[in-house]
Amino acid sequence: MKRMPIAFTRLCALSFASAALLAAPPVAAEDLLQIYREAQQNDPALAAARATWVATQERMPQARAALLPNVSAAGAANVNNLNETLHTDPPVDINNRNFRFGSLGVSAAQPLYRPQNSVAYDQAKQQVAQADYTLSFAQQDLILRVAQAYFDVLLAEFTVDLAESQKAAVSEQLAQAKRNFEVGVATITDTNEAQAKYDSIVALEISARNDLDNRRTALRAIIGRFPASLKRVGPGFEPTLPSPDTLDYWVGRALAENLAVKIAAYNFDIATLEVDKQRAGHYPTLDLVGSYSLQTGSGSSSVNLSSNFDLRQAQLGVQLTVPIYQGGFVDSKVREAIALQDNARQNLELARRTALFNAQTGFTGVNSAVASVQAFEQALKSAQVAYESNRLGQEVGVRTNLDVLNTQQNVFQTRRDLAQSYFNYLIGVLRLKAAVGTLSEQDLEEVNRQLRG
């Protein structure tokens, strides 16, 4: 019985070990959930979204302040000197006075009818409610970015592993072709073909390593550092179809619950209120106003006369302001608000269409990824059988070295396609849930359970 060639033995062992994308990473490898939680602390985009949310919470007290009383106090204190001199010979002081003056006043105003302020308060309530969805959208975006970056690194690492394994296998083929040529049982063509294939794989390995560096850099941009190693998808992973496996269900949920649609809907409501607020510029305003003031003073003159006085005054009433003509400013602001309302309406429609598109492509993408995994798993088995057959055929002289190299190349390419289909499925599931607005950390935990250290 013939012993299997070393290159073929290595290929079969690696193919079996990587059927579920395993590559024996170190025990201390980090998983997807660890990377995500670190990203929550270090990602600038999410930090900016949190700061925006905190800032938006202040819209309510700011708008409410315009509906509440406005009270102010003012005081003044002065020391005065008055000197009048008649320039005669000799000069005569006709008036020389020193006096002090002080005042203290308190005024208050309570809006009774200011429709612009009421509309502004309604807008603030809408903005605060919208901020919650905006922050949730940023959190979902982080989940997708982390997952995409994580699996991009895994795929790049897997591609490098494949390139190394393929280079080793082709190196064996090249060495064998040279030996066969030296003993006269093969032509120089076999050696040249193996050398060309080897050189091509060396170039592929260089490109794969460069791509891996770029993918790691992309992940570093999110978490602020390079992770040492990452856990990979473990054995026994079986992609499943969406549940329910009905497109109308996912499209309907996307139109109703997609976060981008909800944010756009709030923008339209806020823009509609802005039209009402600008139109209120034509309306009169009515305020309850009151004030109390105290003035006191004392002084003396050159004839030794002194005087003191106190003045107290209190007022309470209503103040009506009726706008008559403002140069067309209010009309212009109304037209501007109407145009911006139409802009918000169109953006809402765009958000709905985008949500529908994302839901549909997400649904079909998950179904396609499941089918691709099954197809590539079968294709890998067939490619391995074809390689084995060609290798045995070469030994008995019915297959050439080029036939073996081509079938070997097909095995490695199919393994990479299988890895890509696994990652497409995992990302597709997350994107489908994001399309319907339900993507959360729990979904990431489900994906993380498929990883092994």
Side-chain angles (χ1 to χ4, degrees):
M1 181 176 180
K2 293 185 178 180
R3 185 170 60 90
M4 288 290 184
I6 297 175
F8 177 68
T9 303
R10 289 178 179 174
L11 176 62
C12 291
L14 187 56
S15 297
F16 177 77
S18 62
L21 313 184
L22 291 175
V27 176
E30 298 175 82
D31 63 25
L32 179 58
L33 202 57
Q34 288 174 298
I35 296 296
Y36 170 69
R37 287 175 177 162
E38 188 168 350
Q40 286 181 307
Q41 302 300 320
N42 297 291
D43 180 58
L46 182 61
R50 289 196 186 106
T52 300
W53 182 88
V54 172
T56 305
Q57 303 309 300
E58 300 302 322
R59 300 288 179 86
M60 283 282 286
Q62 292 170 10
R64 187 187 299 113
L67 302 175
L68 300 177
N70 190 329
V71 182
S72 61
N78 300 286
V79 177
N80 301 276
N81 175 262
L82 176 62
N83 183 278
E84 293 182 82
T85 302
L86 184 61
H87 293 281
T88 59
D89 188 16
V92 178
D93 290 335
I94 59 175
N95 192 1
N96 188 354
R97 299 178 57 195
N98 294 299
F99 60 94
R100 293 176 295 278
F101 176 81
S103 65
L104 177 64
V106 178
S107 61
Q110 168 63 57
L112 298 178
Y113 180 72
R114 284 185 175 266
Q116 282 184 312
N117 294 357
S118 299
V119 176
Y121 183 65
D122 292 336
Q123 282 183 312
K125 289 190 288 187
Q126 297 279 8
Q127 290 166 341
V128 169
Q130 181 193 48
D132 293 336
Y133 291 107
T134 303
L135 180 58
S136 296
F137 184 85
Q139 292 169 337
Q140 287 194 354
D141 178 68
L142 179 63
I143 292 175
L144 292 176
R145 287 189 291 116
V146 167
Q148 186 69 63
Y150 186 96
F151 291 127
D152 282 347
V153 172
L154 289 189
L155 182 61
E157 289 177 345
F158 190 68
T159 302
V160 170
D161 292 343
L162 287 178
E164 291 175 345
S165 301
Q166 190 174 6
K167 185 172 71 172
V170 174
S171 179
E172 290 284 346
Q173 289 287 90
L174 177 59
Q176 181 179 348
K178 289 180 178 180
R179 289 192 299 268
N180 291 339
F181 175 71
E182 290 172 356
V183 299
V185 297
T187 66
I188 191 63
T189 302
D190 289 339
T191 302
N192 292 338
E193 289 171 346
Q195 184 65 55
K197 183 68 69 173
Y198 180 83
D199 294 339
S200 174
I201 293 171
V202 170
L204 176 64
E205 182 186 13
I206 294 173
S207 176
R209 291 189 181 280
N210 180 66
D211 182 63
L212 176 58
D213 289 339
N214 292 337
R215 300 303 182 183
R216 285 175 173 168
T217 300
L219 184 57
R220 178 184 181 274
I222 300 175
I223 65 175
R225 66 174 181 85
F226 290 109
S229 61
L230 302 176
K231 291 185 178 181
R232 301 187 177 186
V233 179
F237 172 58
E238 293 291 338
T240 58
L241 296 173
S243 179
D245 190 17
T246 304
L247 177 59
D248 291 342
Y249 169 82
W250 295 98
V251 169
R253 289 196 65 181
L255 292 176
E257 302 178 32
N258 180 271
L259 294 183
V261 172
K262 290 186 176 182
I263 293 170
Y266 273 107
N267 280 333
F268 177 70
D269 292 340
I270 293 169
T272 301
L273 289 171
E274 183 65 21
V275 175
D276 296 337
K277 185 172 75 172
Q278 297 304 328
R279 282 176 175 159
H282 289 299
Y283 305 154
T285 61
L286 183 66
D287 300 319
L288 175 66
V289 297
S291 64
Y292 176 81
S293 63
L294 170 65
Q295 297 178 352
T296 180
S298 63
S300 62
S301 65
S302 57
V303 293
N304 294 323
L305 295 176
S306 62
S307 62
N308 298 292
F309 74 90
D310 291 315
L311 175 63
R312 292 177 175 82
Q313 184 177 7
Q315 291 181 334
L316 180 64
V318 293
Q319 178 176 301
L320 176 66
T321 303
V322 180
I324 297 177
Y325 179 68
Q326 296 172 299
F329 177 79
V330 174
D331 290 333
S332 176
K333 294 293 290 184
V334 170
R335 292 193 298 270
E336 178 189 24
I338 291 174
L340 292 176
Q341 180 191 33
D342 186 60
N343 173 270
R345 180 185 294 107
Q346 298 305 322
N347 285 336
L348 175 57
E349 178 61 24
L350 176 61
R352 286 171 174 163
R353 295 184 185 184
T354 302
L356 188 150
F357 173 81
N358 290 339
Q360 183 165 349
T361 56
F363 176 82
T364 56
V366 171
N367 279 272
S368 176
V370 172
S372 294
V373 167
Q374 297 171 349
F376 281 121
E377 284 177 344
Q378 182 59 46
L380 180 59
K381 294 177 183 177
S382 300
Q384 289 173 337
V385 171
Y387 173 76
E388 181 181 353
S389 299
N390 277 267
R391 187 69 171 137
L392 294 176
Q394 183 189 29
E395 294 179 358
V396 298
V398 297
R399 286 290 184 268
T400 66
N401 190 56
L402 181 60
D403 294 330
V404 174
L405 292 174
N406 287 338
T407 54
Q408 183 186 80
Q409 173 73 25
N410 187 41
V411 170
F412 283 101
Q413 182 59 48
T414 305
R415 286 168 56 204
R416 189 192 184 282
D417 292 340
L418 176 59
Q420 179 72 74
S421 64
Y422 273 115
F423 297 141
N424 287 344
Y425 169 78
L426 294 171
I427 290 295
V429 169
L430 297 178
R431 292 192 181 279
L432 178 59
K433 293 184 177 181
V436 298
T438 62
L439 181 62
S440 66
E441 186 173 322
Q442 286 69 33
D443 299 308
L444 208 61
E445 290 176 352
E446 291 181 11
V447 174
N448 193 65
R449 282 194 286 269
Q450 307 298 332
L451 306 179
R452 298 293 183 268

